[in-house]
């Protein structure tokens, strides 16, 4: 097939033609031209005088006394491309930036440490974060010869070229920064010192933990996730909706520990809806990064290696626990299609795996992935098969996608499965295996045509940590599905990393490198690289029973402990970075398990794996000590440390006597759920003959319980709402009382809740055509979820006993 283009230095960016001389040569070339990162190379011919992060740029800022403009992004970041086209390719704006600042570009995937520090600063300054990240820093020498500088004093994300939506234009911002730096420098330096101290305090975490380890944080985390569960569409939280594989792996482990029908329904429905949605590449396999809606329908089209690696593990685990009842091969198909996609499109000539594929083609989101019904018919030819494909992939239900940045272009279709395949098979009287075989052939034909389209750019750098994830996924898939191709691909990648990215220091100790591109490896690895590569090697050992993989995993673990241990300072756990990194003003200890869970969390899993494989209790002891070092955070942060909560549950299962409470069993479940909410409504009859009527709903909440307010102030919580179902030509206006702001252990921020007795005042009005319909008379439905400080009941939908008169 046609491989996706690799954005090498000479690749033509869609808008670089504006920056060329008549003879075709570049008008501008900056210091990024000799870098290997595809992201940095994308900016090598900007008129901005970019520098890579490092001592040369720092010294230049020191000598010239200019603030540093730090821009952080990654190669497949859509808004990074937008800001480049609008701002960094603008010669006038670039000249202004060059005059007043020293500009530095960082690939966040090469330097996650730099990204973590300044993202924390931006979030502190603005309350949000994202990429591209834009930060202004003090230069070295600002406060004296020995001042290393690099302290943030202004931060944001995307900055438009002109003022827009309350944001300053980029030129306006640079002029303001220059004025502050030249005329109010003392204030700027004071602010930078304060922000840097706050970042240090948040990220260094030196205080030893005091909370005893027990099962409570695990129960809190599971309850928190179930409160966020979307019963209509699956998944946890609202739009934009991310797969969040670490959450799913945790819940799968919780289910194995203590089977619960409600938990399995949530997991199974989520996995099914993700696999049927447009967030999954129905033709080529593999998952896009996230869905822009709550339905899993329209994706943000970039594909990340780390997402697909973790989701392979998720679907393998689900297949092992309980295959889909009506379509037993569903989870296995997802695994196989995803693994095949990675081997086909994301494999480096060395055998290792590339990082990501872009969301756009020629500045059009999803340009490679979308289809029309006619395009589909043209590809398939056979009318009956084409009709089936159009039905199967929702092409007959109208268009569902339009590039939000090009509204003048016609809408088209993201492929998805509006119906389950087993339902189509039943309705068409076709054996399910035959329908699946037809779909496979349809996909083969459509992929062949899609591969002839212009392809999204591929970030073809190799990252040690993400490769470790994919090695683990392929090794597990090969073993569980009895598919040697997958195991062999995992082994080739592992051999490649060990050959090209593992060096030996002057003391003969192994040292891993973070990144490699076109055979050139560089940047000393971080904790997450050692942790995830060891994870991959452990799973290769399990899949092949070859001791060499286990031996390498043990060596990497020992090296990680020697280089990153925080045992002296914190009693356990690890720093993310090496001790001698002079370009960082804080040595971080990350705890948030995001899209790539922290190295600390994965180290805990690895130590438990090594104990299981070797029965060496030193591994178990260190795992428990490391978990204890984070016990305060585990108790406070719930889902925010979900991968470490998963490790804690494993540790409690392996060594229950070393913890305060035993692991949960079926016998210690709550015997009888309480009924903490009573509801009354007055009047119980509404006369709508005059056009409108009012009513009052009184909710009495038992002591010790609360309901989320109508706007709890936190995404993912189930609000209290009063609705008409079906509306039937009626509208309802509800006056919700204000909530009480409370802080709970499951949330890092305060939320608004209802306690005691609250009353909702509502007005129901006719809005034209009001009547009873096939679904019956409109019903008033009160939705809520009752919770204590640590537990929640199932969400409720209560039909209120109200009769509506005056409807035809």
């Amino acid at each position: 097939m046609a491989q996706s283009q690799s954005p090498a230095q000479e690749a033509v960016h869609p808008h670089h033609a504006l920056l060329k001389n008549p003879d075709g040569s570049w008008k501008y070339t900056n210091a990024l031209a000799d870098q290997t990162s595809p992201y940095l190379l994308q900016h090598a011919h900007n008129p901005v005088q970019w520098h890579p992060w490092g001592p040369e740029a720092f010294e230049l800022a020191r000598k010239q006394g200019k603030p540093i403009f730090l821009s952080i992004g990654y190669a497949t970041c859509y808004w990074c491309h937008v800001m480049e086209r609008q701002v960094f390719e603008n010669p006038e704006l670039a000249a202004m930036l060059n005059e007043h600042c020293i500009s530095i570009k960082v690939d966040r995937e090469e330097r996650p440490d730099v990204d973590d520090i300044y993202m924390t600063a931006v979030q502190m300054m603005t309350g949000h974060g994202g990429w591209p990240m834009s930060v202004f820093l003090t230069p070295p020498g600002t406060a004296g010869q020995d001042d290393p500088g690099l302290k943030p004093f202004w931060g944001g994300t995307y900055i438009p070229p002109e003022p827009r939506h309350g944001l300053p234009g980029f030129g306006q911002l640079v002029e303001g920064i220059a004025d502050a730096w030249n005329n109010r420098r003392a204030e700027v330096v004071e602010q930078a010192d304060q922000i840097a101290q706050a970042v240090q305090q948040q990220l260094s975490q030196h205080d030893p933990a005091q909370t005893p380890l027990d099962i409570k944080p695990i129960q809190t985390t599971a309850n928190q996730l179930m409160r966020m569960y979307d019963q209509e569409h699956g998944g946890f939280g609202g739009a934009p909706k991310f797969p969040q594989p670490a959450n799913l792996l945790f819940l799968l482990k919780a289910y194995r520990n203590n089977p619960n029908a409600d938990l399995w329904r949530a997991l199974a429905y989520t996995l099914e809806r993700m696999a049927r949605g447009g967030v999954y590449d129905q033709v080529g396999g593999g998952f896009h990064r996230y869905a822009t809606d709550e339905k899993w329908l329209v994706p943000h089209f970039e594909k990340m290696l780390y997402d697909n690696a973790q989701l392979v593990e998720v679907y393998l685990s689900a297949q092992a626990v309980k295959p889909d009842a009506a379509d037993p091969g569903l989870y296995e198909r997802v695994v196989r299609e995803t693994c095949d996609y990675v081997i086909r499109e994301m494999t480096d000539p060395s055998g290792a795996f590339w990082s990501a594929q872009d969301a756009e083609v020629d500045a059009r989101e999803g340009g490679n992935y979308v289809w029309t019904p006619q395009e589909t018919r043209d590809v398939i030819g056979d009318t009956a098969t084409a009709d089936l494909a159009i039905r199967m992939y929702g092409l007959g239900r109208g268009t569902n996608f339009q590039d939000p940045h090009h509204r003048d272009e016609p809408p088209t279709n993201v492929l998805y499965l509006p119906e389950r395949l087993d339902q189509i098979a039943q309705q068409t009287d076709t054996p399910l295996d035959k329908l699946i075989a037809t779909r496979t052939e349809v996909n083969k034909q459509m992929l062949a045509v899609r591969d002839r389209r212009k392809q999204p750019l591929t970030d073809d750098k190799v990252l040690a940590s993400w490769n470790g994830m994919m090695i683990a996924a392929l090794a597990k898939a090969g073993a569980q599905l009895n598919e040697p191709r997958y195991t062999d691909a995992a082994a080739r990648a592992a051999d490649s990393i060990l050959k090209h990215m593992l060096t030996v220091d002057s003391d003969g100790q192994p040292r891993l490198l973070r990144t490699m591109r076109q055979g050139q490896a560089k940047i000393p690895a971080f904790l997450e690289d050692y942790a995830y590569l060891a994870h991959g090697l452990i799973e290769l050992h399990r899949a092949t029973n070859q001791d060499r993989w286990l031996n390498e995993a043990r060596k990497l673990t020992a090296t990680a402990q020697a280089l990153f241990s925080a045992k002296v300072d914190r009693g356990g756990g690890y720093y993310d970075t090496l001790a001698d990194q002079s370009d960082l003003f804080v040595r971080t200890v990350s705890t948030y398990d995001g899209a790539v869970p922290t190295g600390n969390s994965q180290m805990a899993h690895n130590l438990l794996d090594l104990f299981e494989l070797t029965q060496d209790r030193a591994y178990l002891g260190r795992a428990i000590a490391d978990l204890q070092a984070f016990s305060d955070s585990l108790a406070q942060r719930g889902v925010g440390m979900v991968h470490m909560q998963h490790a804690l549950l494993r540790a409690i299962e392996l060594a229950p006597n070393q913890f305060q409470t035993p692991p949960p069993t079926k016998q210690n479940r709550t015997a009888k759920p309480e009924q903490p909410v009573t509801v009354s409504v007055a009047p119980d009859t509404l006369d709508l003959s005059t056009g409108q009527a009012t009513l009052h709903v009184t909710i009495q909440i038992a002591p010790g319980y609360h309901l989320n307010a109508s706007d709890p102030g936190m995404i993912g919580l189930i609000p209290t709402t009063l609705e008409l179902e079906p509306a039937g030509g009626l509208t309802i206006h509800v006056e919700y009382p204000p909530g009480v702001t409370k802080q709970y252990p499951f949330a890092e921020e305060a939320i608004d809740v209802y306690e005691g007795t609250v009353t909702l005042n509502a007005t129901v009005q006719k809005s034209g055509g009001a009547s009873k319909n096939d679904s019956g008379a409109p019903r008033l439905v009160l939705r809520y979820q009752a919770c204590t400080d640590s537990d929640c009941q199932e969400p409720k939908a209560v039909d209120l006993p109200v009769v509506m008169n005056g409807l035809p």
Side-chain angles (χ1 to χ4, degrees):
M1 65 156 285
Q3 286 283 358
S4 298
Q5 298 176 40
S6 172
Q9 180 178 349
E10 67 276 12
V12 180
H13 189 276
H15 296 268
H16 277 175
L18 301 175
L19 305 178
K20 285 191 173 184
N21 294 309
D23 64 0
S25 61
W26 293 108
K27 290 182 182 179
Y28 310 95
T29 299
N30 56 51
L32 302 182
D34 61 355
Q35 295 296 298
T36 60
S37 159
Y39 176 62
L40 300 187
L41 289 172
Q42 287 172 3
H43 295 264
H45 299 291
N46 293 167
V48 176
Q49 293 172 1
W50 292 115
H51 301 268
W53 179 268
E56 292 182 4
F58 305 153
E59 186 58 28
L60 188 63
R62 178 196 294 272
K63 288 180 179 179
Q64 296 188 14
K66 294 180 179 180
I68 292 170
F69 172 62
L70 173 63
S71 177
I72 302 178
Y74 56 103
T76 58
C77 163
Y78 180 82
W79 282 102
C80 299
H81 300 329
V82 173
M83 191 166 174
E84 180 189 16
R85 291 191 284 266
Q86 294 180 346
V87 175
F88 302 141
E89 291 183 355
N90 183 319
E92 182 178 343
L93 293 177
M96 190 179 300
L97 186 60
N98 295 338
E99 178 184 356
H100 295 296
C101 300
I102 301 301
S103 300
I104 295 178
K105 261 288 175 192
V106 169
D107 182 340
R108 68 176 295 261
E109 295 167 357
E110 285 194 335
R111 291 300 302 264
D113 54 338
V114 175
D115 181 67
D116 286 346
I117 290 170
Y118 294 105
M119 180 60 74
T120 301
V122 168
Q123 290 170 335
M124 286 180 173
M125 287 185 269
T126 68
H128 63 273
W131 299 275
M133 192 198 315
S134 305
V135 195
F136 288 89
L137 319 177
T138 61
T142 298
Q145 184 65 28
D146 296 331
D147 173 25
L150 308 180
K151 296 176 181 178
F153 61 87
W154 189 97
T157 53
Y158 164 79
I159 304 168
E162 302 93 13
R164 187 185 305 166
H165 305 305
L167 296 173
F170 190 81
Q172 197 177 40
L173 174 64
V174 172
E175 288 179 341
I177 293 291
D179 176 69
W181 184 252
N182 293 326
N183 300 314
R184 300 186 303 280
R185 187 170 302 185
E187 297 176 21
V188 171
V189 172
E190 181 181 6
Q191 178 169 317
D193 287 340
Q194 292 173 352
I195 295 169
Q197 289 172 8
V199 171
Q200 288 172 331
Q201 183 175 0
Q202 179 166 326
L203 294 182
S204 58
Q205 306 211 8
H206 280 297
D207 296 334
Q210 303 295 325
T211 306
L213 282 175
D214 58 25
I215 199 69
K216 292 178 184 176
I218 297 165
Q219 295 169 330
T220 298
T221 301
N223 290 336
Q224 186 179 356
L225 283 169
M226 289 303 289
R227 291 176 65 181
M228 297 165 62
Y229 173 58
D230 180 346
Q231 297 189 62
E232 183 175 0
H233 304 294
F236 300 86
K241 190 168 279 184
F242 290 78
Q244 299 176 307
N247 292 355
L248 299 174
L249 286 168
F250 166 78
L251 290 175
L252 282 161
K253 178 61 179 176
Y255 178 81
R256 286 189 174 195
N257 175 275
N258 190 8
N260 174 283
D262 291 338
L263 174 55
W264 184 255
R265 276 194 294 270
L267 280 166
Y269 189 54
T270 296
L271 296 178
E272 175 207 327
R273 289 300 300 266
M274 285 167 51
R276 286 171 49 202
V279 75
Y280 182 70
D281 182 353
Q282 299 294 338
V283 166
F287 287 87
H288 300 290
R289 187 160 170 249
Y290 62 87
T292 61
D293 52 50
E294 74 281 0
K295 302 175 183 178
W296 303 107
L297 176 57
V298 176
H300 178 55
F301 289 91
E302 67 183 310
K303 288 182 174 180
M304 312 301 293
L305 185 69
Y306 60 76
D307 281 328
N308 284 285
Q310 293 177 90
L311 286 165
V312 165
E313 292 203 38
V314 167
Y315 279 87
L316 282 169
S317 181
Q319 182 74 14
V321 173
K322 188 185 293 187
D324 185 271
D327 184 358
L330 171 61
Y331 304 151
E332 180 177 335
R333 286 199 306 277
V334 171
V335 169
R336 287 184 178 275
E337 290 169 2
T338 302
C339 290
D340 289 345
Y341 150 71
V342 170
I343 292 171
R344 183 182 69 241
E345 298 189 31
M346 297 291 284
T347 303
D348 187 76
S350 69
F353 303 112
W354 292 334
S355 298
Q357 288 179 318
D358 211 333
E360 65 172 25
V361 176
D362 287 343
R364 270 61 178 173
E365 283 208 61
N368 182 58
Y369 297 102
V370 294
W371 292 83
T372 66
Q374 189 57 52
E375 287 174 332
T376 305
R377 291 191 182 280
D378 291 343
V379 168
I380 297 173
D382 178 73
T383 301
T385 305
D387 288 343
L388 175 62
I390 286 170
R391 173 183 176 177
M392 185 168 56
Y393 287 136
L395 288 160
R397 297 179 178 232
T399 57
N400 58 32
F401 175 72
Q402 184 167 36
D403 188 331
H405 311 291
H406 299 89
R407 293 290 184 183
D408 56 327
E409 297 184 359
T412 183
N413 290 81
V414 174
L415 302 186
Y416 74 115
L417 295 172
E419 303 170 89
R420 289 177 55 103
L421 292 182
D422 54 274
Q423 292 173 339
I424 296 176
Q426 185 177 28
Q427 292 167 11
T428 59
D429 196 24
T430 304
L432 179 58
D433 57 352
K434 182 178 179 181
L435 177 64
I436 292 169
T438 301
R439 174 177 176 265
T440 300
E441 183 58 32
V442 164
N443 284 352
K444 183 178 178 181
Q445 292 176 285
M446 296 180 76
L447 183 61
V449 170
R450 195 177 83 179
D451 286 343
R452 294 197 289 271
R453 299 174 177 175
K454 189 169 184 179
Q455 300 295 301
L457 297 178
T458 296
D459 185 335
D460 61 348
K461 67 177 178 288
V462 171
L463 296 173
S465 60
W466 300 7
N467 269 257
M469 291 178 166
M470 198 69 234
I471 290 166
L474 284 165
K476 284 186 171 183
Q480 185 171 322
L481 305 183
N482 192 27
E483 184 57 79
R485 288 191 304 117
Y486 300 153
T487 310
D488 292 345
R492 284 193 300 273
D495 278 329
S496 175
I497 302 295
L498 296 175
K499 178 180 178 181
H500 299 294
M501 301 178 71
L502 193 64
T503 62
V504 177
D505 68 10
S506 57
D507 297 326
Q509 298 301 311
R511 293 290 185 271
L512 189 61
L513 296 173
R514 165 74 175 176
T515 182
M516 176 180 71
R517 182 168 183 267
Q518 296 180 352
Q520 182 179 344
K522 63 178 186 178
I523 303 178
F526 305 102
L527 173 67
E528 71 169 50
D529 296 300
Y530 286 88
Y532 280 107
L533 182 57
H535 170 51
L537 298 177
I538 286 168
E539 295 306 329
L540 256 181
H541 167 73
R542 284 182 165 139
T544 65
N545 204 32
Q546 294 180 16
D547 287 341
R548 70 181 182 113
W549 303 122
L550 179 60
N551 293 337
E552 292 291 348
R554 297 181 75 171
K555 289 178 187 176
L556 284 173
T557 301
T559 300
Q561 291 176 328
L563 294 176
F564 301 101
S565 177
K567 194 168 187 178
V568 173
D569 298 326
R570 306 181 68 255
Y574 307 88
Y575 292 102
D576 302 314
T577 60
L578 296 168
D580 57 355
Q581 290 188 229
S582 60
D583 58 349
L584 306 175
F585 65 81
V586 59
R587 194 179 185 198
T588 60
V589 179
S590 297
T591 59
Y592 176 66
D593 287 325
V596 176
T598 66
N600 269 289
S601 295
Q602 190 57 48
M603 282 292 289
H605 281 275
N606 292 350
L607 290 165
L608 296 172
D609 288 330
L610 291 172
F611 168 65
E612 289 176 338
L613 291 168
T614 68
Q615 293 302 299
D616 183 342
R617 297 194 69 82
Y619 288 124
L620 177 62
R622 181 59 193 265
I624 293 173
D626 291 343
L627 290 166
Q628 180 61 58
F630 293 99
S631 62
D632 289 353
S633 298
L634 285 164
Q636 297 165 6
R637 297 183 183 176
V639 175
M641 298 181 69
V642 68
H643 199 47
M644 193 173 286
Q645 307 282 10
H646 184 173
L648 175 59
L649 178 54
R650 292 182 61 197
I652 291 174
E653 288 181 339
L654 287 169
N657 294 333
Q658 297 196 39
F659 298 87
Q660 284 206 341
T661 57
T665 64
K666 294 178 182 179
Q667 286 71 34
N668 65 23
R669 295 178 185 165
T670 302
K672 184 178 180 180
E674 298 179 61
Q675 300 296 330
V677 177
T678 58
V679 181
S680 60
V681 59
D684 58 7
T685 301
L686 296 183
D687 182 3
L688 294 169
S689 60
T690 61
Q692 70 176 42
T694 59
L695 73 156
H696 311 281
V697 178
T698 301
I699 307 171
Q700 293 181 307
I701 306 164
Y705 284 86
H706 66 264
L707 310 185
N708 298 320
S710 61
D711 182 6
M714 182 177 175
I715 294 173
L717 299 183
I718 295 174
T720 299
T721 61
L722 181 63
E723 300 170 339
L724 281 167
E725 296 182 2
L730 299 176
T731 60
I732 183 170
H733 173 73
V734 184
E735 293 181 5
Y736 293 100
V740 179
T741 301
K742 291 288 187 78
Q743 181 74 54
Y744 294 100
F746 60 78
E748 293 188 5
E749 55 194 51
I751 63 173
D752 290 343
V753 302
Y754 294 145
E755 295 178 328
T757 301
V758 295
T759 299
L760 314 185
N761 300 313
T763 300
V764 178
Q765 292 180 306
K766 290 183 180 180
S767 57
S771 65
K772 299 178 182 179
N773 54 33
D774 292 343
S775 300
R779 298 173 294 113
L780 279 169
V781 180
L782 178 69
R783 299 182 186 276
Y784 63 87
Q785 185 173 37
C787 301
T788 66
D789 289 0
S790 60
D791 198 3
C792 285
Q793 295 194 346
E794 287 293 314
K796 299 287 187 182
V798 179
D799 284 6
L800 300 182
V802 177
V803 177
M804 298 187 195
N805 293 330
L807 297 178

